[in-house]
Amino acid sequence: MITRIFVALLCVLTASTAQAQDKPRYGGELVFVVPSEPPSYDGHREGTFGTVHPLAPSYNTLLRIDPFDRTGTRPAPDLAESWTMSPDGLTFTFRLRQGVRFHDGSVLTSRDVKASYDKIVFPPAGVISMRKGSYHAVEAIEAPDPQPCASASSGPRRPFLISVASPYNWIYKADILARDIRWYETNVMGTGPFSSSST
């Protein structure tokens, strides 16, 4: 009798959990403690958990590491819904999800991805990029139209995609970077599920 009751409760709990995941609840507040002060709010510049833990929920990346892959080596879609590699293995083309918006309401395009990766891979003088060394084989980043985004690479396929899936490779708004490339050091505004109120 106890076993049957337990099984019945487990089934009910599982069903209600599945229903909760099917319908996201909007609004509310996520409160958590990170025992560290971020040196800046710029994920491209920093490498500390004091930056990534509190601020990553405000951003998306082009790819991410598959959370169900125990090896932590399989890239999965995030802003890029799919990607292809050219036959020579030198060019990757990422197809972006449509309808993604920044917290200010503007629509994300490949121009934003290009500007973000230009800042990571080819930072201008005086701008720090902690992950620049992971992209030494990248020759160019292109955004030929608003949807696809291609990046040229002469390096091996898997390490390149793992580098793209770094949790610090937040996609920033191109217009903001064009006005002030250091804006994200002191401000937070992305496409992630949470907008930050700590800044």
Side-chain angles (χ1 to χ4, degrees):
M1 186 72 160
I2 293 174
T3 303
R4 288 184 183 175
I5 291 171
F6 176 75
V7 170
L9 286 174
L10 183 62
C11 290
V12 169
L13 290 174
T14 303
S16 64
T17 302
Q19 289 172 350
Q21 291 174 350
D22 290 343
K23 279 197 160 187
R25 183 178 66 84
Y26 292 93
E29 193 174 328
L30 174 64
V31 179
F32 59 97
V33 175
V34 177
S36 173
E37 286 292 320
S40 85
Y41 296 153
D42 185 354
H44 302 170
R45 175 187 175 97
E46 307 302 341
T48 172
F49 75 91
T51 298
V52 77
H53 286 205
L55 301 175
S58 297
Y59 293 99
N60 288 98
T61 53
L62 197 55
L63 301 179
R64 64 186 184 133
I65 297 297
D66 185 342
F68 300 106
D69 174 31
R70 291 177 185 248
T71 68
T73 60
R74 185 170 58 218
D78 195 6
L79 289 174
E81 63 183 8
S82 64
W83 59 93
T84 57
M85 182 177 64
S86 64
D88 62 6
L90 299 182
T91 302
F92 292 80
T93 301
F94 299 91
R95 177 136 323 259
L96 301 178
R97 284 192 288 131
Q98 298 205 19
V100 175
R101 293 187 178 274
F102 285 98
H103 297 150
D104 68 356
S106 60
V107 176
L108 173 114
T109 70
S110 63
R111 185 171 163 264
D112 302 303
V113 176
K114 175 178 169 34
S116 298
Y117 271 89
D118 279 342
K119 182 176 175 292
I120 294 167
V121 180
F122 310 113
V127 173
I128 297 170
S129 170
M130 286 290 287
R131 276 147 287 285
K132 176 182 177 180
S134 299
Y135 299 97
H136 58 77
V138 174
E139 296 173 358
I141 300 161
E142 301 170 356
D145 66 59
Q147 281 312 310
C149 173
S151 70
S153 168
S154 57
R157 179 176 60 134
R158 184 165 289 280
F160 174 74
L161 292 177
I162 294 298
S163 294
V164 171
S166 166
Y168 292 91
N169 289 352
W170 302 335
I171 302 303
Y172 295 152
K173 188 172 175 179
D175 289 345
I176 290 174
L177 292 176
R179 282 194 309 268
D180 180 3
I181 198 152
R182 295 184 182 275
W183 188 86
Y184 281 98
E185 292 177 16
T186 55
N187 298 278
V188 179
M189 202 275 290
T191 58
F194 293 91
S195 59
S196 177
S197 62
S198 65
T199 58

